[in-house]
Amino acid sequence: VLKISIAPFYGNRIILPRLSQFHALYPDLKIEPQMESTVHDLRKTDIDAGIRYGKGRWTGLTAIELHRDVLQPVAAPSVVAGRSLPMSPKEIAELTLGYLEGDETDWDRWLTDQGFDGPPPKHMLAYGNRARVIDLAFSGHGLALADRTLVAGDIAAGHLVLLNEGTLLNDRAMWLVFPETEYPDPRLTAFGDWVRSVVKELQEGVPPPFSQVSDPS
């Protein structure tokens, strides 16, 4: 049994729906997800590893990159009702933009990369974690720059709509982390390889941009 700490927002979207696939590949291993937002000191608990979001630099931990953020603007279908897709950077800049605290430059960078040279966005809301930012998008009260892999299922189900195909590759990623050791546990590296394969399948299955039709009402 391997105990792996996973934030619920990530685990419910990426890991749990497909965990039976891993167990079928490795019947002698059992992953026991610890679904919690608490960041543990893995050197002082019985948890074997964790999946963390960040830049991959944590003292005393080995970090294996699972997938890097590729950010794109998303919103609830109600936001795009009556609008043509893709939305222009100018249209997007005029709406309420949610962002993760400490990453307020992401929107500016995305807009600049898309050729926008207008005034800075006036309506911006900061949140302490990515789940809250994407909740803003779900609510229809604002937009989120979201990792397309993380919200692929929500886009496919029509709960979120991709507003523009422009992307921003930042320096943050999801990582499999565990205490530093000269010889990493092959069971953990096998789990990391499997998560990367899941992400690849998700990315390949994302529908082409703007295959959705917004509600004209």
Side-chain angles (χ1 to χ4, degrees):
V1 175
L2 292 174
K3 294 182 179 180
I4 299 183
S5 174
I6 308 172
F9 184 75
Y10 186 83
N12 287 331
R13 280 168 166 71
I14 307 295
I15 304 298
L16 289 188
R18 303 165 182 85
L19 191 55
S20 61
Q21 299 173 12
F22 179 83
H23 291 146
L25 287 172
Y26 299 96
D28 293 332
L29 293 179
K30 180 181 179 182
I31 300 298
E32 190 173 286
Q34 308 293 300
M35 302 290 284
E36 54 195 355
S37 299
T38 303
V39 177
H40 294 281
D41 183 342
L42 297 177
R43 297 165 297 179
K44 298 179 180 179
T45 72
D46 63 346
I47 297 175
D48 298 287
I51 293 180
R52 290 188 182 175
Y53 177 68
K55 298 183 179 180
R57 298 189 292 269
W58 293 285
T59 302
L61 297 179
T62 294
I64 298 175
E65 185 177 313
L66 300 176
H67 65 97
R68 190 162 294 274
D69 265 358
V70 179
L71 303 178
Q72 292 183 291
V74 297
S78 60
V79 172
V80 299
R83 296 177 182 267
S84 297
L85 293 176
M87 288 175 61
S88 71
K90 180 179 183 298
E91 290 177 296
I92 288 173
E94 292 171 349
L95 299 176
T96 299
L97 309 180
Y99 68 92
L100 181 66
E101 288 179 353
D103 298 330
E104 56 272 10
T105 62
D106 281 353
W107 275 111
D108 288 335
R109 290 170 56 207
W110 184 87
L111 289 166
T112 298
D113 286 353
Q114 309 315 309
F116 178 70
D117 59 0
K122 294 181 180 180
H123 309 290
M124 300 190 71
L125 295 175
Y127 293 94
N129 61 62
R130 290 196 299 170
R132 292 289 309 281
V133 177
I134 296 176
D135 280 344
L136 173 71
F138 279 126
S139 73
H141 294 141
L143 279 55
L145 265 183
D147 174 34
R148 185 99 186 270
T149 301
L150 192 58
V151 296
D154 301 303
I155 292 173
H159 300 146
L160 290 174
V161 177
L162 181 65
L163 305 182
N164 185 294
E165 63 183 342
T167 62
L168 175 67
L169 181 66
N170 66 22
D171 58 356
R172 297 181 300 280
M174 298 302 301
W175 305 80
L176 178 67
V177 299
F178 46 86
E180 276 184 342
T181 177
E182 186 175 356
Y183 301 105
D185 188 329
R187 300 172 301 172
L188 290 175
T189 57
F191 178 72
D193 289 343
W194 173 77
V195 174
R196 280 196 293 270
S197 72
V198 164
V199 169
K200 183 178 179 181
E201 289 180 5
L202 278 173
Q203 292 171 340
E204 292 174 347
V206 171
F210 317 118
S211 60
Q212 321 103 308
V213 177
S214 56
D215 182 359
S217 61

